[in-house]
Amino acid sequence: IGKDVAICNYTYLDPLFPELITIEDGVLVGAYAVIDCHEMVHKDIKLGRIHIKKGAIVGGFAYVRNGVTIGENACVAMGAWAFKDVPDNTIVIGQPAKPVKVLQPGEIVRLKMPEKKKEEIKTEDKKEEAQQEAPLQQPPEAKPVKKAEKKERK
């Protein structure tokens, strides 16, 4: 494991064959990700090295199968299943993982929220603030309930 690597809680790094995992500098592995170097098929066991290169990201709940290399600055999205090698500077999503974008060297992915959404969020925040500032209303007083008279059976 290289320098400046962040591995979140509940990540599964193959405990049976940890020597088959290579993680280079600056890698981020999200929570509940699975990095599995072995798989059992009937009576056989399939082993393969996993190499996660410099600056790569493996999202939470992602699965990296044995024999896979995650390229430099590549991103395996949350919940994606990487069964094949991921090229450098590539974002993959889905099950199985498929490339959706190739990043230019030095490009950073930033999610931008449409202006309309920002306005809606601000409006909702203002409504919540107004509700918090408003005095609490007392529930109406309970009215006594009259007991029903028992009828005699004939």
Side-chain angles (χ1 to χ4, degrees), residues 16-134:
L16 299 177
F17 302 97
E19 66 276 8
L20 297 178
I21 300 171
T22 302
I23 300 176
E24 293 185 4
D25 297 344
V27 169
L28 170 65
V29 181
Y32 297 97
V34 175
I35 299 175
D36 204 0
C37 298
H38 76 282
E39 74 184 78
M40 301 294 291
V41 182
H42 300 288
K43 295 180 182 179
D44 299 326
I45 185 167
K46 180 181 175 188
L47 296 176
R49 292 190 174 280
I50 294 177
H51 189 165
I52 304 174
K53 293 187 177 180
K54 183 179 176 184
I57 298 172
V58 177
F61 298 96
Y63 178 80
V64 180
R65 191 178 191 180
N66 55 53
V68 171
T69 297
I70 307 297
E72 193 169 316
N73 298 316
C75 177
V76 177
M78 180 179 180
W81 296 352
F83 292 157
K84 296 180 182 177
D85 291 351
V86 178
D88 293 350
N89 301 308
T90 302
I91 299 173
V92 296
I93 65 170
Q95 300 163 349
K98 294 182 182 175
V100 292
K101 183 170 182 162
V102 176
L103 302 172
Q104 299 303 316
E107 181 180 1
I108 298 173
V109 177
R110 295 182 190 198
L111 300 176
K112 294 183 180 179
M113 189 179 295
E115 293 299 320
K116 184 177 179 183
K117 295 285 185 186
K118 287 181 184 176
E119 292 171 10
E120 290 174 8
I121 290 172
K122 287 179 185 175
T123 304
E124 289 174 8
D125 289 345
K126 288 179 183 176
K127 287 179 185 177
E128 287 178 12
E129 288 175 8
Q131 287 175 352
Q132 290 174 356
E133 293 174 4

